[in-house]
Amino acid sequence: MTAVTAAAAEQTGPVVGTPYGAVRGRYEKGIAVFRGIPYAAPPFGSRRFRPPVPPEPWTGVRDALAFGPTPPKPPYSDAFAKLLSDPVVPGDDCLNLNVWTPEPGPGARLPVMVWLHGGALTRGSSAVPVYDGHAFARDGVVLVSVNYRLGVEGYGLFPDAPANPGLRDQLAALRWVHESIAAFGGDPDRITLFGQSAGAISIGALLAAPQAQGLVRRAVLQSGPPEAFDRDKVRRMVRRMATRLKVPATAEAFAAVDRELLLRTQADVGRLSSPVLGGPGFGIVIDGELVPRDPLEALVDGQVARDVDLLLGWTRDEYRLWLVPGGLHERVDRLGAVALAGAMARCHCGVEVPRGYRALHPAAGTAETVGQLVTDHLLRYPLHRLADARPGNSHLYEFAWPSNLPDLGSCHALELGFVFDTGDIPEAAKLAGEGAPQELADTMHAAWVRFAVDGDPGWRAWDDSHPVQIFGEGAPYVADGPRDPEFALWAADTATREPAVPVVGTPARGAVELRSVARRLRRTGNVPKSS
């Protein structure tokens, strides 16, 4: 591009063709940015609760200058809104994506990273400021971020509609990227899918989906394992909503309900669920088609995505985002042994597991023991199993830098400002506090870029020594098997499968006690479903 044409492009904005029409973006700090590009038609009217279909083609050049509409979602409670940003952009055309690229136009063949946001499959969007893709494009990566249907719209389970429409949205977006990204300077053969929490869980399902084979070269799962949700828990959410709405639990009936009323009802019913306490919720379910079997088992068996490089990890204190903001942390501490019994019920484990945690961490309070116990069961141990099944092309990390805000520690979602190198914006400081170390952001962000480029983030691949890169205070370092003692407890428990013996009362009583505390807190609006 000559100096004259480059200057003209700066004035008019870059124009790129897509399968459905041309789009015009804008240059921001030397990076071409395209926002709100539709990859599927609006999922409303006759398309509500149905699989996505292609958007209507357009003539001329469509402006892609602002974030597109966000999918319907309830707001966070006040306690969580202080920590997590979740912008709302009104409109129906919510199945859209954004692209940041340093070199728009065919021929560049740059590595591509596709971001799937978290939010418990009920909240979040690609418009969250922390997810700005400028730093990735600055460092030679084409960054794509995606909106997908959430909550009952995306993961409600109905007898008259296909399951998992939100996951089908993600697959449609991934196919769009594979077909279209070369025009934006990306290489469709070097796509890295990365996401956090619900986004990581979604990636696990996509890696195992027959329809997604060959679309992804690498994947990053941050604080979310491959899993399939209990269908009965999703049905209970839908049935409870139907009872409150006084309509049948069908897609046809729900489609006739006012959208805002549906969101309020979903939020109300969803207050009885959380990662630590369990309960009904929305999640990806086995559907016999897109999700033919449990994704973790499919990936561990090696039947799918055999050649996909994996970067897997977690934060040291995931549970603190779930327990601290609403005050549940202190309540669990006071419940003591009853809370431990509830955690055993949640994890379906025997008494030797919590006893082992007590022995390994004698100074830990009950809330910390419960939080780490549940986190390991739901998140860390499954990722550990996945790495064990795929040594050589798996890398693991732990994020251990503590937030500058009181009691949050190295909580769930704290690493995101470091991965995106957006720690200097106010939205990142909501969770990290002021003064987050730029050196740590430089190191983490560079590791994610390196992984997208060649599959090597900069430390040893997984082997029998179980190397884990620790991103904490001071220089990052590799620790061998830092959580092996805890994982050995889970492996032994899985092997024996002895009935759980409560420390006090019964596991059922413990679960009831914990949920009773949570309900009291949620009546005040302090403990919503986590991110």
Side-chain angles (χ1 to χ4, degrees):
M1 184 181 290
T2 67
V4 174
T5 56
E10 289 281 354
Q11 293 294 321
T12 62
V15 176
V16 171
T18 80
Y20 307 105
V23 292
R24 175 183 289 109
R26 63 159 55 96
Y27 282 98
E28 300 175 5
K29 300 178 185 177
I31 299 300
V33 185
F34 302 80
R35 295 184 174 92
I37 304 173
Y39 66 84
F44 300 105
S46 61
R47 293 186 287 267
R48 202 166 182 191
F49 302 111
R50 300 293 165 181
V53 298
E56 288 292 328
W58 58 88
T59 57
V61 178
R62 177 177 181 143
D63 283 337
L65 307 176
F67 286 115
T70 52
K73 56 187 175 175
Y76 284 117
S77 72
D78 292 342
F80 276 73
K82 292 176 182 177
L83 303 172
L84 303 170
S85 297
D86 198 9
V88 173
V89 181
D92 286 353
D93 206 357
C94 61
L95 299 185
N96 57 70
L97 51 76
N98 319 293
V99 181
W100 286 259
T101 176
E103 296 184 46
R109 308 291 289 188
L110 297 171
V112 180
M113 298 188 75
V114 180
W115 172 249
L116 299 182
H117 67 81
L121 297 177
T122 59
R123 296 176 174 87
S125 78
S126 65
V128 173
V130 174
Y131 307 153
D132 185 276
H134 180 272
F136 280 106
R138 175 199 68 198
D139 295 331
V141 173
V142 178
L143 191 286
V144 181
S145 59
V146 176
N147 280 341
Y148 56 93
R149 278 175 283 183
L150 303 168
V152 71
E153 301 276 0
Y155 298 93
L157 194 54
F158 300 102
D160 55 338
N164 301 314
L167 187 67
R168 296 170 190 270
D169 294 343
Q170 296 168 357
L171 177 60
L174 186 57
R175 285 172 169 162
W176 184 98
V177 172
H178 201 265
E179 295 169 359
S180 309
I181 206 63
F184 292 83
D187 184 348
D189 295 325
R190 286 200 291 168
I191 294 175
T192 297
L193 195 55
F194 76 128
Q196 185 264 349
S197 193
I201 292 170
S202 300
I203 290 170
L206 289 170
L207 290 178
Q211 296 89 331
Q213 300 308 297
L215 297 180
V216 178
R217 180 67 187 86
R218 301 182 177 95
V220 186
L221 279 68
Q222 301 173 215
S223 300
E227 68 175 16
F229 212 66
D230 185 342
R231 291 176 69 93
D232 186 59
K233 289 185 177 182
V234 181
R235 286 196 188 99
R236 273 188 280 154
M237 278 290 288
V238 172
R239 288 168 182 163
R240 289 179 182 183
M241 290 182 65
T243 298
R244 295 194 182 210
L245 293 167
K246 299 180 180 179
V247 301
T250 64
E252 181 182 13
F254 273 51
V257 175
D258 174 79
R259 201 179 301 176
E260 292 302 316
L261 175 59
L262 199 63
L263 282 180
R264 290 196 300 272
T265 306
Q266 174 187 303
D268 193 30
V269 172
R271 290 193 181 96
L272 300 178
S273 176
S274 83
V276 174
L277 302 174
F282 291 112
I284 297 164
V285 298
I286 295 173
D287 59 19
E289 180 195 356
L290 185 58
V291 188
R293 59 178 298 207
D294 181 86
L296 178 62
E297 299 308 320
L299 291 168
V300 166
D301 288 351
Q303 295 183 7
V304 290
R306 294 183 183 88
D307 299 326
V308 174
D309 298 324
L310 299 176
L311 176 57
L312 315 169
W314 49 73
T315 71
R316 185 187 62 195
D317 307 309
E318 300 271 4
Y319 71 96
R320 287 184 174 270
L321 183 65
W322 306 323
L323 295 185
V324 169
L328 192 56
H329 188 273
E330 292 80 5
R331 303 290 183 97
V332 171
D333 266 339
R334 286 200 289 272
L335 279 171
V338 173
L340 279 176
M344 290 165 59
R346 175 80 170 100
C347 299
H348 310 289
C349 67
V351 68
E352 293 305 320
V353 177
R355 280 180 181 168
Y357 274 70
R358 287 294 206 194
L360 290 169
H361 308 283
T366 300
E368 181 176 354
T369 302
V370 167
Q372 298 290 9
L373 190 76
V374 174
T375 300
D376 284 352
H377 169 67
L378 296 178
L379 194 161
R380 294 191 186 109
Y381 187 50
L383 291 177
H384 183 274
R385 284 186 61 208
L386 181 55
D388 271 348
R390 292 165 180 256
N393 68 338
S394 298
H395 293 79
L396 266 70
Y397 74 89
E398 176 170 297
F399 182 81
W401 180 83
S403 171
N404 287 323
L405 299 180
D407 300 321
L408 285 179
S410 307
C411 69
H412 192 67
L414 182 59
E415 86 282 10
L416 294 174
F418 296 86
V419 169
F420 280 86
D421 192 13
T422 51
D424 58 347
I425 65 173
E427 290 80 4
K430 290 174 68 173
L431 193 59
E434 299 295 335
Q438 182 60 45
E439 297 84 359
L440 183 56
D442 292 341
T443 303
M444 285 196 76
H445 175 75
W448 265 241
V449 170
R450 285 185 58 171
F451 181 75
V453 171
D454 61 15
D456 179 5
W459 63 91
R460 298 198 324 270
W462 193 254
D463 58 24
D464 290 343
S465 66
H466 296 173
V468 177
Q469 174 86 338
I470 309 295
F471 294 103
E473 298 178 280
Y477 63 94
V478 172
D480 288 333
R483 294 190 178 270
D484 281 4
E486 290 89 344
F487 296 154
L489 295 170
W490 290 106
D493 183 76
T494 300
T496 58
R497 284 295 177 199
E498 294 179 353
V501 179
V503 180
V504 153
T506 67
R509 180 191 167 199
V512 169
E513 289 279 357
L514 278 174
R515 289 178 185 140
S516 175
V517 170
R519 287 190 186 98
R520 290 198 297 271
L521 287 168
R522 288 178 181 121
R523 289 189 190 105
T524 69
N526 287 331
V527 186
K529 202 175 181 186
S530 89
S531 71

